[in-house]
Amino acid sequence: MRSLMINHIQNARQSLRSNRLRSYLTMLGVTIGVASVTVILSLSGGASQVVSSQVDALGGNIAVIRPEAAQKNTVPNLTQITSQRDFSASTLTEHDLKLIKAIQHVDQAAPLMVLGGAIKGEKLAPANSTIVATTPELATISKLVVADGQFLSDDINQNTVVIGDQLSINVFGTDRSLGRALTIRGQPFTIVGILKRLNNPINYNAVDFDNSVIINYESGKQLGQITPQIQQIDVRSDSVNNLGQAIIDINKVLSTSHNGENDFTVLSGSQIAQPTSQLFFAMAGVTTAIAAISLLVGGIGIMNIMLVSVAERTREIGIRKALGANNQDIMSQFMIESMAIGLGGGITGYLVGYLISYGICSFLPFEPVITWQIAATAAFISVVMGTVFGIYPALRAAHKDPIESLREYS
Amino acid sequence: MRLSDSGRHIIIYIKTMPDTQTPVIELRSLKKRFGIGDAEHYALDGVDLRIERGEFVAVMGPSGCGKTTLLNIIGLLDRSTDGDYKLDGIEVSTISAHRQARIRSHQIGFIFQSFNLISRLNVIENVALPLTYKGITRTKRLIAASKILRTFHLEEREYYMPHQLSGGQTQRVAIARALVNEPSIILADEPTGNLDSRSSHVIMEELSDLHRRGNTIIMVTHNPRLTSYASRVITMLDGRIDSDTNTLIDEIKAPISEAAAPAHSPKKHKKTKGHHSKSRYRIHIGRRKK
Ligand SMILES: Nc1ncnc2c1ncn2[C@@H]1O[C@H](COP(=O)(O)OP(=O)(O)OP(=O)(O)O)[C@@H](O)[C@H]1O
Ligand SMILES: [Mg+2]
């Protein structure tokens, strides 16, 4: 019955055309939903591409250890934008760090402790600035380069700080702030180094170093005033080939030290390449919410318009049945119509989504990705929307009694 | 009782003919009730009717006597409340909805009293519509529709919308649509109600032609003159069959006399006098003798 199918499609097109405005308005819900999904996927794809290219650039011998709690916290959460992430209880300890450093193929390891609190130079730093407490190894592992001065080192004063380029400009009005004084959480610090601009807010450390101050791990512990919370340990193996062995050993050692408790994860390569930036999560959170709401509203819109359409065409249904249409024929006529609305909205949504993505990316250091998976997802969502929300109206149409329908006036 | 006797009589007769072993339509004490309680009303109140393949039956009767209701049930659009309906020897209530749709699509052509064109489709699309459900491709559908529209002199109206047609044109479109899928049973509810006598005759000639080719036609009409095209005339009254020319023939078993026509139907009186009536009975008798 291919010709019947073609006929249904022609018919649906004709019927949608005769109610052009109504059809477009109905599609709008799906359009917004699919656009949001496309934005999320293309941007997150772009972001992870950036991160994975960074990981590649780092030489392929980097692994990252995260407490499991931190993993769960990577769920987009709008409340986390302003309050810096305070992981309630990290399962990683200084003892773990010592154990990791002792492993054969581990060349270097650096803990990462992100703290919240005020940074004050001449001016107060903006809220998106980050305080990172770490050890000097981080510079080698993450290839941080100072433009001026030096990086942290164990043999100079505890209260020294390395400042990100942009943050320096934000609090002092200049990136030449070497030697100047700064208070972090009320404690005085001296700037010993200024980082070279990275322009890289999205990275596997989840820290925008351009907007951060980096202090010694010990200072961070004092500032924190509680048991130190290590959010991440960056590990570098002595060679690319030994990374696998190093990861196995880390897992073994940590497992023993945590009494078999599996409360940490060791990630390497593309696994690290999951976007963790707060900026990204804020965006993803908002767009996911928009996507969910507009898909729901869009779906209800489809159902509503299809019910109206069925009611309007009751008499037509009666005539068609009288002329030999069976229930499935009527059913598919309306299903195809609702699927066409879904698909039409989906295609527009996909295109609009990319427009928005490229718009957003003109402010970001990466490009949205275009993959067939995203196109397939958009198509899938729109067809499912059309089907799920069109099925009830179509069933109602199909089960109308022919003679009752013919009596209807319209 | 006499009615069913005569029915059997005909059956025996017709069984000698290869094509018509079972009647196409066989109704037994068919009832259709509308409403419940105080509003209860029987639009059909015990209809017994047997129609053989190839008959051209004209159904007459006053407005509201149940003619449309009867056609709807015969055309599988409506269900009876009570009684039996055998179509081609098969009890209709045992046929699935899907199968019924197929029968409507392949065997039945319905001309509605109220035309029932689809207002958002143009003339040719309306006419081509029944072919859609037979799975015929669009081009072939349009060719077939165009061809049949030509027979009804509507070739210049193919792309008109239904609301741009006159009443008579609308009616002809509706007829063209009913005939386009070459149904073997044609149910026509006042097919010439809006037409002048010339146009009526075009339609009637077309129906006669279909009849000659062996199709079964049941036509409701208020115009006694048109019954001359029919091989059999049934009059209904208050949901029952009031008179049936087949019964008359059995009663008289001879060329009909005027006295046999029902006394309470003056129209009918007049008609039997007309010259058409003779030919009607001739045809009929001729068939029986075959
Ligand atoms: N849906 C319905 N609900 C209630 N009563 C109905 C319904 N349809 C038909 N009737 C009643 O059934 C009776 C027969 O109606 P029907 O339409 O069969 O008449 P008809 O013989 O075709 O009349 P006409 O010659 O005017 O077309 C009428 O009294 C009508 O009021
Ligand atoms: Mg009627």
Side-chain angles (χ1 to χ4, degrees):
Chain A
M1 291 274 120
R2 204 180 110 259
S3 73
L4 241 178
M5 221 57 204
I6 294 171
N7 175 71
H8 287 321
I9 292 167
Q10 288 162 344
N11 196 47
R13 206 178 58 184
Q14 204 256 341
S15 130
L16 291 176
R17 261 194 206 154
S18 60
N19 282 308
R20 217 174 271 264
L21 180 64
R22 193 168 88 180
S23 312
Y24 286 149
L25 288 177
T26 314
M27 283 180 195
L28 199 62
V30 187
T31 303
I32 296 171
V34 172
S36 321
V37 172
T38 310
V39 168
I40 298 172
L41 294 180
S42 65
L43 290 190
S44 70
S48 32
Q49 251 180 11
V50 171
V51 181
S52 58
S53 66
Q54 286 164 8
V55 173
D56 290 346
L58 290 171
N61 55 350
I62 302 293
V64 160
I65 302 152
R66 289 188 186 137
E68 191 137 87
Q71 281 292 299
K72 280 183 193 137
N73 254 327
T74 57
V75 173
N77 188 342
L78 283 175
T79 57
Q80 286 181 346
I81 313 169
T82 42
S83 68
Q84 297 284 357
R85 291 165 304 168
D86 293 314
F87 296 111
S88 45
S90 168
T91 51
L92 297 175
T93 62
E94 277 175 59
H95 180 62
D96 293 335
L97 182 64
K98 276 198 205 95
L99 291 175
I100 291 165
K101 278 184 172 168
I103 291 169
Q104 194 194 356
H105 293 297
V106 171
D107 182 27
Q108 284 183 316
L112 227 70
M113 196 157 69
V114 178
L115 305 166
I119 307 163
K120 197 165 183 300
E122 282 177 0
K123 279 181 286 185
L124 205 62
N128 67 347
S129 315
T130 318
I131 306 161
V132 185
T134 184
T135 55
E137 285 95 335
L138 185 72
T140 356
I141 298 173
S142 293
K143 300 223 167 109
L144 297 177
V145 183
V146 284
D148 207 359
Q150 62 163 109
F151 200 70
L152 303 173
S153 86
D154 288 329
D155 45 64
I156 58 170
N157 188 306
Q158 268 195 10
N159 286 344
T160 52
V161 62
V162 175
I163 192 166
D165 178 275
Q166 184 58 44
L167 185 57
S168 169
I169 293 170
N170 286 345
V171 296
F172 294 110
T174 167
D175 57 358
R176 307 199 164 276
S177 54
L178 196 64
R180 296 180 74 161
L182 189 74
T183 61
I184 298 170
R185 282 197 172 184
Q187 297 277 333
F189 283 84
T190 314
I191 298 175
V192 294
I194 295 147
L195 287 177
K196 203 172 141 194
R197 185 172 276 270
L198 289 167
N199 266 337
N200 189 9
I202 293 159
N203 55 54
Y204 67 91
N205 284 317
V207 171
D208 178 5
F209 286 107
D210 292 341
N211 271 309
S212 302
V213 285
I214 305 171
I215 56 175
N216 264 310
Y217 182 70
E218 292 304 322
S219 315
K221 258 170 43 179
Q222 282 170 15
L223 283 179
Q225 286 170 338
I226 37 163
T227 31
Q229 300 294 318
I230 301 174
Q231 275 109 46
Q232 178 168 315
I233 298 173
D234 290 1
V235 174
R236 203 175 94 133
S237 67
D238 49 15
S239 82
V240 178
N241 293 341
N242 289 335
L243 184 66
Q245 187 56 47
I247 290 170
I248 293 170
D249 291 343
I250 292 168
N251 269 316
K252 227 181 277 174
V253 166
L254 287 187
S255 208
T256 339
S257 105
H258 288 209
N259 301 321
E261 199 78 43
N262 209 1
D263 50 7
F264 62 92
T265 34
V266 186
L267 305 169
S268 66
S270 59
Q271 295 170 326
I272 318 175
Q274 287 156 354
T276 46
S277 148
Q278 294 185 355
L279 167 75
F280 177 74
F281 282 143
M283 235 157 51
V286 173
T287 32
T288 309
I290 294 176
I293 292 168
S294 53
L295 285 177
L296 184 69
V297 172
I300 293 169
I302 291 183
M303 193 187 291
N304 186 32
I305 249 23
M306 290 314 295
L307 285 173
V308 170
S309 178
V310 169
E312 274 181 356
R313 275 189 269 163
T314 303
R315 201 177 165 85
E316 177 182 328
I317 295 166
I319 297 169
R320 284 178 184 271
K321 283 197 160 184
L323 298 180
N326 59 36
N327 289 5
Q328 283 98 302
D329 291 330
I330 302 293
M331 177 104 189
S332 24
Q333 181 188 336
F334 284 94
M335 281 302 283
I336 285 170
E337 204 168 310
S338 65
M339 271 155 70
I341 294 179
L343 208 57
I347 292 169
T348 0
Y350 179 74
L351 298 176
V352 169
Y354 268 109
L355 279 182
I356 295 173
S357 288
Y358 277 103
I360 291 176
C361 282
S362 60
F363 302 102
L364 292 178
F366 60 85
E367 292 276 280
V369 289
I370 300 176
T371 61
W372 67 266
Q373 284 95 335
I374 297 177
T377 309
F380 178 77
I381 290 175
S382 30
V383 170
V384 165
M385 295 266 297
T387 317
V388 167
F389 292 97
I391 206 156
Y392 172 68
L395 272 174
R396 262 177 74 141
H399 287 120
K400 278 195 186 290
D401 180 62
I403 208 75
E404 293 295 327
S405 311
L406 280 172
R407 282 207 187 94
E408 199 111 328
Y409 286 92
S410 56
Chain B
M1 290 308 103
R2 178 167 271 165
L3 191 83
S4 61
D5 276 349
S6 66
R8 224 166 282 148
H9 189 82
I10 292 171
I11 281 266
I12 294 158
Y13 229 99
I14 281 161
K15 267 194 175 157
T16 59
M17 294 165 69
D19 195 20
T20 48
Q21 286 164 353
T22 43
V24 200
I25 289 156
E26 189 178 13
L27 308 175
R28 207 168 289 149
S29 54
L30 196 80
K31 291 186 181 181
K32 177 67 184 180
R33 186 188 61 221
F34 285 115
I36 35 165
D38 285 347
E40 190 177 273
H41 166 77
Y42 279 90
L44 294 179
D45 197 8
V47 173
D48 291 284
L49 183 64
R50 185 190 288 259
I51 294 170
E52 307 299 335
R53 190 167 300 284
E55 277 194 278
F56 188 157
V57 182
V59 181
M60 298 192 58
S63 177
C65 68
K67 303 181 296 293
T68 301
T69 310
L70 180 66
L71 280 200
N72 286 343
I73 291 174
I74 291 176
L76 304 179
L77 291 180
D78 212 350
R79 276 175 298 274
S80 58
T81 323
D82 208 355
D84 298 330
Y85 169 17
K86 283 203 179 101
L87 180 67
D88 276 328
I90 301 164
E91 179 57 46
V92 160
S93 57
T94 64
I95 304 175
S96 71
H98 192 86
R99 180 94 198 120
Q100 289 195 8
R102 211 180 144 74
I103 293 172
R104 283 200 295 267
S105 169
H106 289 251
Q107 286 178 326
I108 298 176
F110 219 110
I111 303 166
F112 296 98
Q113 191 169 14
S114 44
F115 321 132
N116 280 330
L117 299 184
I118 293 178
S119 54
R120 61 185 185 83
L121 301 182
N122 66 25
V123 165
I124 196 163
E125 285 169 336
N126 260 292
V127 173
L129 198 59
L131 299 174
T132 309
Y133 300 109
K134 279 177 123 178
I136 292 167
T137 59
R138 189 178 156 83
T139 338
K140 282 193 188 150
R141 287 203 304 266
L142 293 182
I143 291 170
S146 183
K147 193 170 149 227
I148 195 144
L149 279 170
R150 219 170 310 131
T151 11
F152 291 105
H153 308 291
L154 286 163
E155 61 270 32
E156 277 157 26
R157 298 286 180 277
E158 283 183 359
Y159 294 97
Y160 277 47
M161 297 309 282
H163 66 87
Q164 296 169 313
L165 299 174
S166 73
Q169 287 166 341
T170 312
Q171 190 147 31
R172 271 139 65 201
V173 173
I175 295 166
R177 184 180 65 183
L179 302 183
V180 75
N181 60 345
E182 297 175 342
S184 59
I185 303 169
I186 294 142
L187 304 172
D189 202 348
E190 289 194 51
T192 58
N194 280 17
L195 299 178
D196 60 279
S197 66
R198 201 176 64 86
S199 304
S200 294
H201 281 286
V202 172
I203 305 290
M204 292 314 295
E205 282 307 327
E206 189 63 30
L207 288 179
S208 291
D209 191 43
L210 289 165
H211 176 219
R212 268 193 295 278
R213 284 191 264 140
N215 297 302
T216 312
I217 299 170
I218 304 172
M219 176 186 76
V220 171
T221 182
H222 285 293
N223 185 348
R225 254 185 290 165
L226 297 181
T227 58
S228 60
Y229 289 93
S231 62
R232 176 178 174 192
V233 180
I234 288 169
T235 339
M236 286 183 69
L237 190 64
D238 292 339
R240 288 169 206 265
I241 302 224
D242 188 49
S243 73
D244 183 340
T245 50
N246 268 6
T247 326
L248 291 178
I249 287 159
D250 280 325
E251 271 175 34
I252 314 294
K253 307 238 175 199
I256 220 141
S257 79
E258 278 174 32
H264 56 266
S265 170
K267 276 184 192 165
K268 189 145 189 177
H269 255 291
K270 225 181 269 166
K271 179 197 66 217
T272 2
K273 276 178 201 152
H275 71 280
H276 280 308
S277 56
K278 219 178 252 168
S279 72
R280 176 177 90 231
Y281 296 129
R282 188 165 42 72
I283 290 166
H284 194 84
I285 290 159
R287 270 165 48 81
R288 295 184 75 217
K289 277 179 182 164
K290 236 188 261 174

